[in-house]
Amino acid sequence: MDILRELKQRWTAMNDWLRAFLLAVVLLGLVHLFLLRFVSVQSTSMFATLFPGDLVLVQRWRTWTGMERNDIVVFHDPLKDDVPAARRPLLVKRIVGMPGDVVELRDGRTYVNGRLVADAPATTHSYLARFRADSPVDSLLATIGLPPAYLGQERRVVEVPLNEAIAEQLRKLDDVVSVERTGPATGAPRHIFPFSPYFPWNSDDYGPVTVPRKGDTVRIDVRNLPLYDRLISVYEGHRLGVSGRELTIDDRPLTTYVFEQDHYFVLGDSRHHSADSRYWGFLPSDHLVGRASLVILSKGPAGLRSGRWLIRP
C-alpha cells in the first residue's frame, strides 16, 4: 500500500504535459500490442495485390477473433526459429487452407477440399519479358510497380511476376519486344516442402495435403514424418528420436500425434515469386500478428504512388 501511495503522490506531482505524454505512450503501446499496427511491404511475394512500398494497416485483434480463408495475414517468419518471435522478420501471405482443409495445386490452379478456388483478381504468375538492347530495363519495370533493383543485373530477358492486365501494359512500351507467360513447373525439385521423395511435388502441382487442426490425431510413420517433424519438434516443442526401429517422441514410442494448435496453409499472390507454405510448410497460429486490412499509402521509386491511398488489398 505504501508503494501505491507513493506512486500516486508522484503522479499527482507531475507536470500536466508529462502526464499527458506518458498516457499517450501507454495508449499507443496498448493499441500496437492488441489492436492495430502498421507494416511496410518490402518484397514482391504478394505482387500485384500489394506493392513494395505499401504501408499496410494490420488488425491485431483478428488473432483472437479468428482468421478466415482468403485473408491476407502478417506473421513472424517461421524459419527464423533461432530468434525470439518478436524479433523475427514479418511476412505477408494469403490464407488458402484453414485448419482441417485439404489443399492441392494442379497445373497452378488451387483446389480446397476438392473444389477449384478462384485466384485473387490481382494474382500474378511467371512471365518472360524480352527487352530491346540498351533499353532501361529497371526503369521499365518500375513503371509497373516492380522495384528498380529487381533485376540485380542488366539482362535482356527477365522473368517477372505479372498478370495478363499488367503484361498488356508492359507490351505497349516501345522498348519491350515480347511478354509471354511461362508454362507450369515440372519435375520434383528438392527445395519443395516436405523435401522427401515420398512427396514428388513442385510449385504448380502440390499435394493434396491436409492442414493440421488443433485436436486432430494423425498417424505417424517414416513415410509421412517429413510433413510433421518440424511442426512437432520446433513449433510444438517435442523431442523426436529413434529407438531401434521405432520413432519416439519425448522418449516414448510415436505412432500417433495430436496437434496442439491450429495451422494454416498460405500462398503469396505472386505464385512463382513467393517463399510460402510450398517451401517451408504449415504456418502455426501462434506466429500470426494480424490481418492486413488497408493500404494507407504507397511509396514507389519516384515518390508516393497515386491511386493507392486508403484502399483494401
Side-chain angles (χ1 to χ4, degrees), residues 40-54 90-94 122-126 141-142 144-152 158-163 166 267-276 278 299 301 305 308:
S40 177
V41 176
Q42 303 295 325
S43 77
T44 57
S45 70
M46 286 295 292
F47 191 78
T49 302
L50 295 174
F51 288 72
D54 281 356
L90 295 180
L91 305 181
V92 184
K93 310 291 179 189
R94 186 181 297 275
T123 296
T124 55
H125 298 271
S126 182
L141 294 181
I144 59 171
L146 291 172
Y150 186 80
L151 292 176
V158 186
E159 184 178 347
V160 287
L162 305 174
N163 53 40
I166 301 176
L267 295 176
D269 283 1
S270 179
R271 288 300 170 81
H272 295 105
H273 294 79
S274 171
D276 47 41
R278 296 168 296 178
K299 185 177 184 301
R305 295 187 178 104
R308 290 195 67 78

Side-chain angles (χ1 to χ4, degrees), residues 10 19 34 42-43 67 85 93 124 134 186 193-194 204 210 222 233 265 281:
R10 291 189 178 186
R19 282 205 303 267
F34 296 108
Q42 303 295 325
S43 77
M67 300 294 181
K93 310 291 179 189
T124 55
D134 301 322
T186 59
F193 177 83
D204 284 322
T210 301
V222 173
S233 62
F265 193 93

Side-chain angles (χ1 to χ4, degrees), residues 102-309:
V102 178
V103 176
E104 183 177 9
L105 276 72
R106 307 176 202 161
D107 290 330
R109 294 178 294 180
T110 307
Y111 294 79
V112 178
N113 300 325
R115 295 186 176 183
L116 178 64
V117 176
D119 288 337
T123 296
T124 55
H125 298 271
S126 182
Y127 281 68
L128 283 181
R130 293 177 170 82
F131 299 89
R132 301 187 191 281
D134 301 322
S135 59
V137 177
D138 280 359
S139 297
L140 295 173
L141 294 181
T143 65
I144 59 171
L146 291 172
Y150 186 80
L151 292 176
Q153 60 180 340
E154 288 296 317
R155 289 180 290 175
R156 299 303 104 199
V157 180
V158 186
E159 184 178 347
V160 287
L162 305 174
N163 53 40
E164 193 53 34
I166 301 176
E168 187 58 31
Q169 179 184 345
L170 198 58
R171 292 185 186 108
K172 294 177 180 179
L173 301 179
D174 291 338
D175 287 312
V176 177
V177 176
S178 64
V179 182
E180 302 296 336
R181 182 170 172 174
T182 64
T186 59
R190 295 183 179 181
H191 60 275
I192 295 292
F193 177 83
F195 325 114
S196 167
Y198 292 122
F199 302 92
W201 302 337
N202 61 48
S203 60
D204 284 322
D205 288 286
Y206 191 97
V209 62
T210 301
V211 185
R213 177 173 52 193
K214 182 179 180 179
D216 282 359
T217 301
V218 62
R219 292 195 62 83
I220 301 292
D221 54 34
V222 173
R223 182 183 180 90
N224 70 359
L225 182 62
L227 279 172
Y228 307 115
D229 60 353
R230 182 175 180 82
L231 183 159
I232 296 171
S233 62
V234 177
Y235 303 152
E236 301 193 351
H238 295 282
R239 186 173 63 257
L240 294 174
V242 178
S243 177
R245 301 183 65 180
E246 286 187 330
L247 297 172
T248 63
I249 179 171
D250 301 328
D251 300 323
R252 301 189 306 272
L254 172 63
T255 56
T256 62
Y257 184 76
V258 180
F259 300 119
E260 298 173 4
Q261 64 174 313
D262 286 333
H263 291 74
Y264 299 87
F265 193 93
V266 296
L267 295 176
D269 283 1
S270 179
R271 288 300 170 81
H272 295 105
H273 294 79
S274 171
D276 47 41
S277 286
R278 296 168 296 178
Y279 297 90
W280 43 255
F282 307 113
L283 170 63
S285 59
D286 64 4
H287 283 49
L288 290 169
V289 171
R291 185 184 75 168
S293 62
L294 194 70
V295 176
I296 302 298
L297 55 84
S298 183
K299 185 177 184 301
L304 294 178
R305 295 187 178 104
S306 62
R308 290 195 67 78
W309 294 72

